[in-house]
Amino acid sequence: MIQTGQRSTMNGGEKILGVEGGGTKTSWVLVERAGNELSVLDQGKLPPANFRLATPGELRAILSELPKEITSVGIFLAGCGTEEDRQSLTRLCAEIWPKAKIVVGSDRHSGLAAALGHGDGIVVNAGSGSSITGRRDKRIENAGGWGHILGDAGGGYFLSLQALRLILREYDRLYKELVDLEAKFPDLVTPDSPTQRVSGRPLQAFAQIQHRVPMLSLDNTYSEDEVANFYKRITRLLPDEKVPVVIEPKVDGVAVSVMYENGRLKYAATRGDGSVGDDITQNIKTIRSVPQQLRGSAPKVFEVRGEAYLDKDGFKKLNKEREAAGLPLFANPRNAAAGSLKHLNPKVAAQRPLGMVFYGTGAT
């Protein structure tokens, strides 16, 4: 643990800021000390601030959100375990609070202080990761705290992985049981069975599907002025209306329409020319995030529209496999997603790590 700086004189009592950050969140509290009395002035939560996982820029951005007018600050972050780490964190804090007394360390230090004060004992930190710290007199012993890559038994990350392994193992067991059952009783096979996500035979060509409601495209812009002018045009058309605006990141994928009838997936189609698109039902069925049967009381006709996409990690993995096989590489994730959906063999699409995000509805 490192301490630096001088306690400054401010109006009123001493204002002390305490911060503890880990892999899930960063918690902070601002207190004022007047004599032996402490009163909470403010508190809150910020994004995760694990010293090993966050870049200096990310840490600076998170800590810059905290109150500035303080006398002393204590910053305790998971992963801040070496002298070099603490010196680096101290320099960063000095940029943000140049006049404050600064104390930095790891969440082990804050855990000891909070639980034991100056006394002896053992403290178990069980959060995203986990660690055990024991103190007797001036001797301190540590166990765990290796981080999510090596794994901390008892930590949230470790327990989540264990739970996921159990779920996948049980899914595989049930899936095999279903395959055996359907092989024995073929008349029990239904179109929405998990075994039917990948069709057995490649298509000769894509059939055409007429959109019940035209599937229009979105316009692009790279200018804030164009966005502002677009909003002005809307307000001129609706002078007596207060027009709310929602701005969100756009997934750069391939526009897809998925039609459900009586809750069951009927077909999926590309946008095409807006009126007619290609039938890509067999390929969409290979995307596990797309339900083949809706839960609950579904409407008779329900069309959802969204983007089929390939994330960056999946794109890198796919291109690495293609390079090893001597195949041409995809130029970008969007092209890779489009090529996967337009492949006539659904078994190829099933091997691609495609995802789907829905943003609107069509025919209902």
Side-chain angles (χ1 to χ4, degrees), residues 270-310:
T270 62
R271 176 188 288 122
D273 63 3
S275 298
V276 177
D278 289 332
D279 184 346
I280 55 170
T281 307
Q282 296 303 324
N283 288 341
I284 288 297
K285 281 184 174 182
T286 68
I287 304 176
R288 294 194 178 277
S289 58
V290 178
Q292 296 199 46
Q293 179 72 48
L294 299 179
R295 296 178 181 178
S297 179
K300 184 176 181 180
V301 174
F302 183 56
E303 179 189 5
V304 286
R305 293 175 173 179
E307 299 269 333
Y309 68 93
L310 194 68

Short mmCIF file of all heavy atoms in Angstrom, two decimals, residues 270-310:
data_model
loop_
_atom_site.label_atom_id
_atom_site.label_comp_id
_atom_site.label_asym_id
_atom_site.label_seq_id
_atom_site.Cartn_x
_atom_site.Cartn_y
_atom_site.Cartn_z
N THR A 270 -34.12 -12.71 -46.72
CA THR A 270 -33.29 -11.51 -46.81
C THR A 270 -34.16 -10.33 -47.22
O THR A 270 -35.32 -10.50 -47.62
CB THR A 270 -32.17 -11.69 -47.85
OG1 THR A 270 -32.77 -11.90 -49.14
CG2 THR A 270 -31.29 -12.87 -47.50
N ARG A 271 -33.61 -9.10 -47.15
CA ARG A 271 -34.36 -7.93 -47.59
C ARG A 271 -34.60 -7.98 -49.10
O ARG A 271 -35.68 -7.64 -49.58
CB ARG A 271 -33.62 -6.64 -47.24
CG ARG A 271 -34.36 -5.40 -47.78
CD ARG A 271 -33.57 -4.12 -47.62
NE ARG A 271 -33.52 -3.71 -46.24
CZ ARG A 271 -32.41 -3.54 -45.54
NH1 ARG A 271 -31.24 -3.77 -46.13
NH2 ARG A 271 -32.43 -3.17 -44.30
N GLY A 272 -33.59 -8.39 -49.86
CA GLY A 272 -33.72 -8.39 -51.31
C GLY A 272 -33.90 -6.98 -51.84
O GLY A 272 -33.15 -6.07 -51.47
N ASP A 273 -34.93 -6.78 -52.65
CA ASP A 273 -35.20 -5.44 -53.17
C ASP A 273 -36.22 -4.67 -52.33
O ASP A 273 -36.69 -3.61 -52.71
CB ASP A 273 -35.69 -5.51 -54.63
CG ASP A 273 -37.01 -6.26 -54.78
OD1 ASP A 273 -37.59 -6.68 -53.75
OD2 ASP A 273 -37.47 -6.44 -55.92
N GLY A 274 -36.53 -5.22 -51.17
CA GLY A 274 -37.50 -4.59 -50.28
C GLY A 274 -38.88 -5.18 -50.40
O GLY A 274 -39.67 -5.14 -49.45
N SER A 275 -39.18 -5.76 -51.57
CA SER A 275 -40.47 -6.40 -51.80
C SER A 275 -40.35 -7.92 -51.82
O SER A 275 -41.22 -8.64 -51.32
CB SER A 275 -41.08 -5.92 -53.12
OG SER A 275 -41.33 -4.53 -53.08
N VAL A 276 -39.25 -8.40 -52.41
CA VAL A 276 -39.01 -9.84 -52.52
C VAL A 276 -37.59 -10.14 -52.05
O VAL A 276 -36.64 -9.44 -52.43
CB VAL A 276 -39.19 -10.32 -53.98
CG1 VAL A 276 -38.88 -11.81 -54.08
CG2 VAL A 276 -40.61 -10.05 -54.45
N GLY A 277 -37.46 -11.18 -51.22
CA GLY A 277 -36.14 -11.58 -50.73
C GLY A 277 -35.91 -13.07 -50.90
O GLY A 277 -36.83 -13.82 -51.26
N ASP A 278 -34.69 -13.51 -50.65
CA ASP A 278 -34.35 -14.93 -50.76
C ASP A 278 -34.79 -15.69 -49.51
O ASP A 278 -34.68 -15.18 -48.38
CB ASP A 278 -32.84 -15.10 -50.92
CG ASP A 278 -32.34 -14.64 -52.28
OD1 ASP A 278 -33.14 -14.70 -53.24
OD2 ASP A 278 -31.17 -14.24 -52.38
N ASP A 279 -35.26 -16.90 -49.71
CA ASP A 279 -35.66 -17.78 -48.61
C ASP A 279 -34.39 -18.38 -47.99
O ASP A 279 -33.74 -19.26 -48.58
CB ASP A 279 -36.56 -18.88 -49.14
CG ASP A 279 -37.09 -19.79 -48.03
OD1 ASP A 279 -36.57 -19.73 -46.91
OD2 ASP A 279 -38.03 -20.57 -48.30
N ILE A 280 -34.03 -17.93 -46.80
CA ILE A 280 -32.82 -18.43 -46.12
C ILE A 280 -33.21 -19.15 -44.82
O ILE A 280 -32.44 -19.18 -43.86
CB ILE A 280 -31.84 -17.28 -45.81
CG1 ILE A 280 -32.55 -16.16 -45.01
CG2 ILE A 280 -31.23 -16.73 -47.09
CD1 ILE A 280 -31.59 -15.11 -44.49
N THR A 281 -34.40 -19.76 -44.83
CA THR A 281 -34.92 -20.40 -43.62
C THR A 281 -33.96 -21.44 -43.06
O THR A 281 -33.69 -21.47 -41.85
CB THR A 281 -36.27 -21.07 -43.92
OG1 THR A 281 -37.15 -20.11 -44.52
CG2 THR A 281 -36.91 -21.60 -42.64
N GLN A 282 -33.43 -22.32 -43.92
CA GLN A 282 -32.58 -23.40 -43.44
C GLN A 282 -31.32 -22.86 -42.78
O GLN A 282 -30.83 -23.43 -41.80
CB GLN A 282 -32.21 -24.34 -44.61
CG GLN A 282 -33.41 -25.07 -45.22
CD GLN A 282 -34.17 -25.90 -44.19
OE1 GLN A 282 -33.58 -26.48 -43.28
NE2 GLN A 282 -35.49 -25.93 -44.32
N ASN A 283 -30.78 -21.78 -43.31
CA ASN A 283 -29.57 -21.20 -42.72
C ASN A 283 -29.87 -20.47 -41.41
O ASN A 283 -29.08 -20.54 -40.46
CB ASN A 283 -28.90 -20.24 -43.70
CG ASN A 283 -28.23 -20.99 -44.85
OD1 ASN A 283 -27.96 -22.18 -44.74
ND2 ASN A 283 -27.97 -20.30 -45.94
N ILE A 284 -30.99 -19.78 -41.34
CA ILE A 284 -31.37 -19.07 -40.10
C ILE A 284 -31.63 -20.07 -38.98
O ILE A 284 -31.32 -19.81 -37.81
CB ILE A 284 -32.60 -18.18 -40.35
CG1 ILE A 284 -32.22 -16.98 -41.20
CG2 ILE A 284 -33.21 -17.72 -39.02
CD1 ILE A 284 -31.21 -16.05 -40.54
N LYS A 285 -32.16 -21.23 -39.31
CA LYS A 285 -32.43 -22.24 -38.29
C LYS A 285 -31.15 -22.73 -37.60
O LYS A 285 -31.21 -23.28 -36.50
CB LYS A 285 -33.16 -23.43 -38.91
CG LYS A 285 -34.65 -23.21 -39.13
CD LYS A 285 -35.29 -24.48 -39.66
CE LYS A 285 -36.81 -24.32 -39.75
NZ LYS A 285 -37.46 -25.57 -40.23
N THR A 286 -29.99 -22.54 -38.25
CA THR A 286 -28.74 -22.99 -37.63
C THR A 286 -28.26 -22.02 -36.56
O THR A 286 -27.35 -22.34 -35.80
CB THR A 286 -27.64 -23.13 -38.71
OG1 THR A 286 -27.28 -21.83 -39.23
CG2 THR A 286 -28.08 -24.01 -39.85
N ILE A 287 -28.86 -20.83 -36.47
CA ILE A 287 -28.47 -19.84 -35.45
C ILE A 287 -29.25 -20.16 -34.17
O ILE A 287 -30.47 -20.01 -34.12
CB ILE A 287 -28.76 -18.41 -35.93
CG1 ILE A 287 -28.05 -18.14 -37.25
CG2 ILE A 287 -28.33 -17.40 -34.86
CD1 ILE A 287 -28.35 -16.77 -37.84
N ARG A 288 -28.56 -20.59 -33.15
CA ARG A 288 -29.24 -21.08 -31.95
C ARG A 288 -29.97 -19.99 -31.17
O ARG A 288 -30.85 -20.28 -30.36
CB ARG A 288 -28.24 -21.80 -31.05
CG ARG A 288 -27.70 -23.07 -31.67
CD ARG A 288 -26.98 -23.95 -30.68
NE ARG A 288 -26.51 -25.18 -31.30
CZ ARG A 288 -27.26 -26.26 -31.50
NH1 ARG A 288 -28.52 -26.24 -31.11
NH2 ARG A 288 -26.77 -27.34 -32.07
N SER A 289 -29.59 -18.73 -31.38
CA SER A 289 -30.28 -17.64 -30.67
C SER A 289 -31.62 -17.31 -31.30
O SER A 289 -32.38 -16.50 -30.76
CB SER A 289 -29.39 -16.39 -30.64
OG SER A 289 -29.05 -15.97 -31.95
N VAL A 290 -31.94 -17.92 -32.44
CA VAL A 290 -33.23 -17.70 -33.10
C VAL A 290 -34.18 -18.82 -32.68
O VAL A 290 -33.98 -19.98 -33.04
CB VAL A 290 -33.09 -17.68 -34.63
CG1 VAL A 290 -34.47 -17.51 -35.28
CG2 VAL A 290 -32.16 -16.56 -35.07
N PRO A 291 -35.22 -18.52 -31.90
CA PRO A 291 -36.13 -19.58 -31.45
C PRO A 291 -36.97 -20.11 -32.60
O PRO A 291 -37.43 -19.36 -33.46
CB PRO A 291 -37.01 -18.87 -30.40
CG PRO A 291 -36.98 -17.43 -30.79
CD PRO A 291 -35.61 -17.19 -31.38
N GLN A 292 -37.17 -21.42 -32.61
CA GLN A 292 -38.05 -22.01 -33.63
C GLN A 292 -39.49 -22.05 -33.15
O GLN A 292 -40.41 -22.19 -33.95
CB GLN A 292 -37.56 -23.41 -33.98
CG GLN A 292 -36.17 -23.40 -34.61
CD GLN A 292 -35.88 -24.69 -35.35
OE1 GLN A 292 -36.70 -25.17 -36.11
NE2 GLN A 292 -34.70 -25.23 -35.15
N GLN A 293 -39.68 -21.93 -31.84
CA GLN A 293 -41.02 -21.90 -31.27
C GLN A 293 -41.08 -20.79 -30.22
O GLN A 293 -40.24 -20.77 -29.30
CB GLN A 293 -41.37 -23.25 -30.63
CG GLN A 293 -42.74 -23.32 -29.98
CD GLN A 293 -43.86 -23.33 -31.01
OE1 GLN A 293 -43.82 -24.09 -31.97
NE2 GLN A 293 -44.88 -22.50 -30.82
N LEU A 294 -42.03 -19.86 -30.35
CA LEU A 294 -42.17 -18.78 -29.39
C LEU A 294 -42.88 -19.29 -28.14
O LEU A 294 -43.75 -20.16 -28.20
CB LEU A 294 -42.97 -17.63 -30.00
CG LEU A 294 -42.36 -16.97 -31.25
CD1 LEU A 294 -43.28 -15.86 -31.75
CD2 LEU A 294 -40.97 -16.43 -30.95
N ARG A 295 -42.50 -18.74 -27.01
CA ARG A 295 -43.12 -19.14 -25.76
C ARG A 295 -44.42 -18.39 -25.53
O ARG A 295 -44.63 -17.29 -26.05
CB ARG A 295 -42.17 -18.87 -24.60
CG ARG A 295 -40.87 -19.67 -24.64
CD ARG A 295 -39.99 -19.30 -23.47
NE ARG A 295 -38.72 -20.02 -23.48
CZ ARG A 295 -37.76 -19.85 -22.60
NH1 ARG A 295 -37.92 -18.98 -21.61
NH2 ARG A 295 -36.64 -20.53 -22.68
N GLY A 296 -45.27 -18.96 -24.72
CA GLY A 296 -46.49 -18.27 -24.32
C GLY A 296 -47.52 -18.21 -25.43
O GLY A 296 -47.49 -18.97 -26.40
N SER A 297 -48.43 -17.26 -25.28
CA SER A 297 -49.52 -17.09 -26.25
C SER A 297 -49.06 -16.16 -27.37
O SER A 297 -49.11 -14.94 -27.25
CB SER A 297 -50.75 -16.51 -25.54
OG SER A 297 -51.80 -16.31 -26.45
N ALA A 298 -48.59 -16.74 -28.46
CA ALA A 298 -48.06 -15.95 -29.58
C ALA A 298 -49.18 -15.57 -30.53
O ALA A 298 -50.17 -16.29 -30.67
CB ALA A 298 -47.00 -16.76 -30.32
N PRO A 299 -49.05 -14.42 -31.20
CA PRO A 299 -50.07 -14.03 -32.20
C PRO A 299 -50.08 -14.99 -33.38
O PRO A 299 -49.10 -15.72 -33.62
CB PRO A 299 -49.64 -12.63 -32.61
CG PRO A 299 -48.19 -12.54 -32.25
CD PRO A 299 -48.00 -13.41 -31.06
N LYS A 300 -51.14 -14.97 -34.15
CA LYS A 300 -51.27 -15.87 -35.30
C LYS A 300 -50.18 -15.60 -36.32
O LYS A 300 -49.58 -16.52 -36.88
CB LYS A 300 -52.65 -15.71 -35.93
CG LYS A 300 -52.90 -16.68 -37.08
CD LYS A 300 -54.31 -16.54 -37.61
CE LYS A 300 -54.54 -17.55 -38.76
NZ LYS A 300 -55.92 -17.43 -39.30
N VAL A 301 -49.91 -14.31 -36.59
CA VAL A 301 -48.85 -13.91 -37.51
C VAL A 301 -47.95 -12.91 -36.80
O VAL A 301 -48.44 -11.92 -36.25
CB VAL A 301 -49.42 -13.28 -38.80
CG1 VAL A 301 -48.30 -12.75 -39.68
CG2 VAL A 301 -50.26 -14.30 -39.56
N PHE A 302 -46.66 -13.16 -36.80
CA PHE A 302 -45.73 -12.28 -36.10
C PHE A 302 -44.39 -12.28 -36.85
O PHE A 302 -43.70 -13.29 -36.89
CB PHE A 302 -45.54 -12.73 -34.66
CG PHE A 302 -44.64 -11.84 -33.85
CD1 PHE A 302 -44.91 -10.48 -33.73
CD2 PHE A 302 -43.52 -12.34 -33.22
CE1 PHE A 302 -44.08 -9.65 -32.98
CE2 PHE A 302 -42.68 -11.53 -32.48
CZ PHE A 302 -42.97 -10.18 -32.36
N GLU A 303 -44.06 -11.14 -37.45
CA GLU A 303 -42.81 -11.01 -38.18
C GLU A 303 -41.85 -10.12 -37.41
O GLU A 303 -42.22 -9.00 -37.00
CB GLU A 303 -43.06 -10.39 -39.56
CG GLU A 303 -41.77 -10.21 -40.37
CD GLU A 303 -41.99 -9.40 -41.65
OE1 GLU A 303 -43.13 -8.91 -41.85
OE2 GLU A 303 -41.04 -9.27 -42.43
N VAL A 304 -40.63 -10.60 -37.20
CA VAL A 304 -39.60 -9.80 -36.54
C VAL A 304 -38.47 -9.56 -37.54
O VAL A 304 -38.17 -10.40 -38.38
CB VAL A 304 -39.04 -10.48 -35.27
CG1 VAL A 304 -40.05 -10.41 -34.15
CG2 VAL A 304 -38.65 -11.92 -35.53
N ARG A 305 -37.87 -8.39 -37.43
CA ARG A 305 -36.80 -8.01 -38.34
C ARG A 305 -35.56 -7.61 -37.55
O ARG A 305 -35.66 -7.03 -36.48
CB ARG A 305 -37.25 -6.87 -39.25
CG ARG A 305 -38.35 -7.31 -40.20
CD ARG A 305 -38.91 -6.18 -41.03
NE ARG A 305 -39.85 -6.70 -42.03
CZ ARG A 305 -40.51 -5.94 -42.88
NH1 ARG A 305 -40.33 -4.62 -42.87
NH2 ARG A 305 -41.32 -6.48 -43.76
N GLY A 306 -34.41 -7.94 -38.10
CA GLY A 306 -33.17 -7.63 -37.41
C GLY A 306 -31.96 -7.83 -38.29
O GLY A 306 -32.06 -7.81 -39.52
N GLU A 307 -30.82 -8.06 -37.63
CA GLU A 307 -29.55 -8.21 -38.34
C GLU A 307 -28.90 -9.53 -37.93
O GLU A 307 -28.73 -9.79 -36.74
CB GLU A 307 -28.60 -7.06 -38.00
CG GLU A 307 -29.11 -5.68 -38.39
CD GLU A 307 -28.68 -5.26 -39.78
OE1 GLU A 307 -27.64 -5.74 -40.24
OE2 GLU A 307 -29.39 -4.45 -40.39
N ALA A 308 -28.54 -10.32 -38.93
CA ALA A 308 -27.68 -11.48 -38.68
C ALA A 308 -26.25 -11.00 -38.81
O ALA A 308 -25.91 -10.28 -39.75
CB ALA A 308 -27.98 -12.58 -39.69
N TYR A 309 -25.40 -11.36 -37.88
CA TYR A 309 -24.06 -10.79 -37.84
C TYR A 309 -23.03 -11.81 -37.40
O TYR A 309 -23.35 -12.88 -36.88
CB TYR A 309 -24.02 -9.58 -36.90
CG TYR A 309 -24.21 -9.96 -35.45
CD1 TYR A 309 -23.11 -10.21 -34.62
CD2 TYR A 309 -25.48 -10.11 -34.91
CE1 TYR A 309 -23.29 -10.57 -33.30
CE2 TYR A 309 -25.67 -10.48 -33.59
CZ TYR A 309 -24.56 -10.71 -32.79
OH TYR A 309 -24.73 -11.09 -31.48
N LEU A 310 -21.78 -11.45 -37.59
CA LEU A 310 -20.63 -12.23 -37.14
C LEU A 310 -19.78 -11.30 -36.30
O LEU A 310 -19.36 -10.24 -36.78
CB LEU A 310 -19.84 -12.74 -38.35
CG LEU A 310 -18.81 -13.84 -38.13
CD1 LEU A 310 -19.51 -15.14 -37.75
CD2 LEU A 310 -18.00 -14.07 -39.40
#
